[in-house]
Amino acid sequence: MTLSIQRIHPVVGTEVSGVSVGSNLDSGSFQQIYQAWLDGGGLLILRDQELSPEEHIAFSRRFGELDPLEGQTVMPYLLPGYPEIYRVSNKVKDGVKQGRQRAGTYWHSDNSHKEYAAKASLLHGIEVPPYGGDTLFAGMAAAYQALSGTMQRLLGGLRCIHDFEKAKSGSFKNETVTDRHLNATPAISHPLVRTHPETGAKCLYLNAGVVTHIEGMTAEESAPLLDFLYAHCTRPEFVYRHRWRRNDLLVWDNRCLMHYAVADYDGVGDRYMHRTTVWGDRPV
Ligand code: OGA
Ligand code: MN
């Protein structure tokens, strides 16, 4: 097997094949893959990864320290014995959900409601439906670049409030969200334009699931600008749509991407995935 690294989209996405990341990937190959991740807009598509949970966790740790998910809202979906792995699935076995259903069906960046939001997420497609269940990725650096200088300067001075309370009645309305969960991550302000700590790229930073308003503005005042920005970032020019193959391992950079999981596969087939989450810096 020879390592092959290929860009597959002008904005987001690099496909990697001919390598098994579960075995002891040498540090030279890892460095090459990591650099391709940064250079290719923040999404790696690693094909044909037959990975045990231990291997998935070990590979994820090469990107940084993992966010321990114990005690968080996704607790019911952790893989038993592996608190670092969160299951996303539409499967139900003996009345028990095998993972969180319809996770991420809105444009978001993982864990942006936290002070130290997620750096990377690694999602392993263990079972995928024959069609449907695609995941979309929007390149937030390209979206920023395409704005006028005047708009860039205006946005550069703004911050957004990310509040998980919004998710309680929205994307998490079918989950248990307690006061303890909410108190653990009080509403936080993050810059609307963040600078990627490794590439230096300026990126829009938004999350439709938890952003309530622009700091210092009312929700009503914020809405037209936020609506424009969500529509702008998710224009087809900035979006890559991933059609899953079994044993794809996707690594996405939450610092420069938003993603959206299309929940269109009810009755089409089973989808079962394992996710790890790599802790990040405080957005600046
Ligand atoms: C996630 C998520 C995407 C998907 O796991 O963070 O948004 O396609 N899932 O399941
Ligand atoms: Mn997500």
Side-chain angles (χ1 to χ4, degrees):
M1 287 205 300
T2 45
L3 174 62
S4 152
I5 299 180
Q6 264 176 329
R7 282 295 295 271
I8 52 145
H9 187 273
V11 176
V12 188
T14 302
E15 184 170 320
V16 180
S17 57
V19 70
S20 167
V21 300
S23 61
N24 291 326
L25 183 66
D26 64 89
S27 64
S29 301
F30 179 74
Q31 275 319 314
Q32 242 180 300
I33 291 172
Y34 191 91
Q35 195 58 47
W37 183 56
L38 296 176
D39 294 342
L43 177 70
L44 291 175
I45 300 145
L46 298 140
R47 301 287 193 187
D48 306 309
Q49 301 302 318
E50 194 84 53
L51 288 178
S52 67
E54 287 84 358
E55 290 167 338
H56 182 173
I57 292 168
F59 181 64
S60 303
R61 288 210 166 109
R62 298 183 82 161
F63 288 81
E65 194 187 329
L66 302 191
D67 186 347
L69 301 170
E70 208 85 66
Q72 302 186 22
T73 47
V74 295
M75 179 108 175
Y77 307 118
L78 302 188
L79 182 64
Y82 300 93
E84 303 88 349
I85 292 184
Y86 156 45
R87 296 171 296 167
V88 174
S89 186
N90 62 340
K91 289 176 71 170
V92 180
K93 203 163 119 195
D94 304 324
V96 180
K97 289 184 194 163
Q98 299 299 292
R100 183 151 179 253
Q101 297 178 330
R102 296 177 168 260
T105 301
Y106 55 99
W107 284 105
H108 67 285
S109 172
D110 290 330
N111 290 354
S112 78
H113 62 287
K114 296 185 180 179
E115 181 175 2
Y116 296 90
K119 170 184 178 182
S121 304
L122 291 91
L123 189 64
H124 184 213
I126 296 167
E127 287 177 64
V128 303
Y131 51 84
D134 295 351
T135 310
L136 278 65
F137 294 88
M140 303 296 271
Y144 174 81
Q145 279 302 324
L147 294 168
S148 66
T150 302
M151 185 59 126
Q152 289 177 344
R153 280 189 293 281
L154 169 72
L155 299 179
L158 302 180
R159 301 177 68 85
C160 289
I161 302 300
H162 297 237
D163 189 349
F164 199 77
E165 177 110 43
K166 179 175 177 182
K168 186 177 172 169
S169 55
S171 55
F172 274 72
K173 67 175 184 297
N174 297 324
E175 311 296 342
T176 305
V177 179
T178 63
D179 285 349
R180 194 176 50 76
H181 290 130
L182 295 176
N183 293 336
T185 55
I188 179 108
S189 147
H190 290 310
L192 206 165
V193 180
R194 65 180 295 187
T195 304
H196 193 290
E198 294 182 270
T199 66
K202 288 194 172 185
C203 307
L204 294 168
Y205 191 55
L206 290 163
N207 180 337
V210 298
V211 168
T212 51
H213 61 285
I214 294 168
E215 195 170 43
M217 293 170 91
T218 64
E220 291 73 18
E221 288 168 340
S222 311
L225 186 50
L226 293 176
D227 288 348
F228 161 73
L229 288 173
Y230 287 117
H232 171 76
C233 295
T234 58
R235 273 167 47 187
E237 289 80 0
F238 311 131
V239 172
Y240 162 69
R241 179 172 184 135
H242 184 68
R243 180 166 182 192
W244 287 86
R245 290 191 213 151
R246 194 176 85 83
N247 278 334
D248 280 348
L249 174 69
L250 262 53
V251 185
W252 64 80
D253 188 336
N254 289 293
R255 303 167 296 184
C256 57
L257 295 174
M258 281 200 297
H259 58 283
Y260 183 111
V262 186
D264 59 356
Y265 49 96
D266 281 350
V268 176
D270 289 342
R271 192 175 188 270
Y272 177 79
M273 303 194 168
H274 283 174
R275 193 189 100 187
T276 53
T277 315
V278 180
W279 204 255
D281 301 328
R282 186 170 182 160
V284 285

